[in-house]
């Protein structure tokens, strides 16, 4: 079967293709010649994932899925959450986002946080949601320089290194995205077994 993944992010496509295997051909937005800027105007991760998946399904009539990810910090009431990419402003970079987060946590002893990925899948008009969570804590300062986004300031539970101090293989084997994608993959395997 073919499924459109509403992204052109090479890294995400590779990761998802590796997990779902040969059973499903995963197409990107470029593959279906969709060059639209799909709006992400919801105030929840689930809402944004659904907006993107519904956009593709409604416009092209193709079975598809979309994801959205955020870092949810307990002492900040779940912030930056759905606003993770633009926490320090629309045109901002990861560095500014991390500095703002560390600043907002100054003096707070509760450093608990979690990364959460929501995947919205639409097959024949039927919608399904998958949640992948990795719990952890926010460091006092940046550690390591691999990865992207908030990786240098997030230590997953059960580890002493930040995501940015891990190899990409190690991070990808425990990440929020991996966990959500694994659920998607298990669902597809069950649905299309035989
Ligand atoms: P997206 O929905 O995958 O584009 O993620 C939104 C934002 O969350 C990104 O711009 C990053 O700031 C952050 N983010 C998502 N996944 C990760 C990750 O694996 N490590 C660090 N930051 C991430």
């Amino acid at each position: 079967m073919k499924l459109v993944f509403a992204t052109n992010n090479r890294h995400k496509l590779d990761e998802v293709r590796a997990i779902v295997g040969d059973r499903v051909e995963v197409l990107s937005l470029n593959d279906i010649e969709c060059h639209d800027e799909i709006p992400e105007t919801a105030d929840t991760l689930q809402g944004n994932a659904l907006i993107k998946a519904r956009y593709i399904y409604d416009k092209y009539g193709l079975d598809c899925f979309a994801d959205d990810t955020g870092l949810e910090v307990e002492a900040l009431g779940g912030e930056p959450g759905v606003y993770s990419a633009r926490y320090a402003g629309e045109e901002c970079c990861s560095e500014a986002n991390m500095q703002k987060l560390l600043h907002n946590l100054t003096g707070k002893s509760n450093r608990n946080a979690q990364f959460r990925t929501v995947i919205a899948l639409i097959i024949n008009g039927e919608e399904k949601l998958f949640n992948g969570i990795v719990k952890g804590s926010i460091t006092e300062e940046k550690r390591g320089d691999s990865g992207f986004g908030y990786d240098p300031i997030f230590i997953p539970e059960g580890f002493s290194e930040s995501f940015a101090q891990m190899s990409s293989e190690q991070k990808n084997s425990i990440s929020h995205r991996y966990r959500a994608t694994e659920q998607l993959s298990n669902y597809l395997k069950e649905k299309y077994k035989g």
Side-chain angles (χ1 to χ4, degrees):
M1 73 168 304
K2 288 184 186 189
L3 269 183
V4 177
F5 184 7
T7 187
N8 282 319
N9 181 314
R10 198 75 253 158
H11 169 80
K12 287 187 184 178
L13 285 161
D14 289 347
E15 202 172 301
V16 166
R17 284 176 178 143
I19 297 170
V20 299
D22 299 340
R23 199 176 297 258
V24 179
E25 187 184 347
V26 178
L27 305 175
S28 67
L29 291 176
N30 280 338
D31 291 332
I32 62 164
E33 292 182 11
C34 172
H35 306 292
D36 304 353
E37 192 69 45
I38 305 175
E40 295 189 38
T41 49
D43 57 7
T44 60
L45 297 173
Q46 169 176 330
N48 273 343
L50 280 168
I51 286 178
K52 288 186 272 185
R54 285 175 184 156
Y55 184 95
I56 298 303
Y57 191 79
D58 292 345
K59 181 162 178 182
Y60 299 90
L62 297 170
D63 293 337
C64 60
F65 62 97
D67 73 334
D68 202 24
T69 295
L71 175 63
E72 300 172 330
V73 179
E74 208 170 270
L76 302 177
E79 271 190 19
V82 71
Y83 305 108
S84 294
R86 50 205 147 109
Y87 191 40
E90 282 300 333
E91 303 300 323
C92 262
C93 57
S94 298
E95 184 59 39
N97 288 336
M98 283 189 287
Q99 289 313 329
K100 178 169 178 183
L101 186 55
L102 290 177
H103 176 77
N104 287 347
L105 279 181
T106 307
K108 298 208 193 291
S109 55
N110 178 0
R111 317 282 300 185
N112 294 340
Q114 63 182 26
F115 272 113
R116 192 154 70 89
T117 294
V118 178
I119 293 178
L121 169 73
I122 308 182
I123 296 181
N124 293 329
E126 192 193 330
E127 297 179 350
K128 283 278 312 168
L129 291 168
F130 305 93
N131 258 283
I133 289 176
V134 60
K135 289 182 182 295
S137 59
I138 302 296
T139 56
E140 297 281 347
E141 53 198 32
K142 291 195 302 168
R143 294 197 209 165
D145 42 29
S146 328
F148 72 102
Y150 296 87
D151 280 348
I153 61 167
F154 182 82
I155 299 184
E157 207 168 74
F159 293 82
S160 52
E161 305 98 1
S162 75
F163 265 168
Q165 292 173 307
M166 294 180 171
S167 64
S168 60
E169 290 76 18
Q170 190 177 12
K171 178 193 162 188
N172 292 343
S173 69
I174 57 169
S175 80
H176 42 296
R177 218 173 350 268
Y178 176 82
R179 290 176 180 172
T181 308
E182 199 182 26
Q183 286 177 41
L184 168 71
S185 172
N186 290 341
Y187 175 81
L188 295 173
K189 278 183 193 146
E190 188 55 32
K191 194 171 168 79
Y192 297 102
K193 68 181 170 206

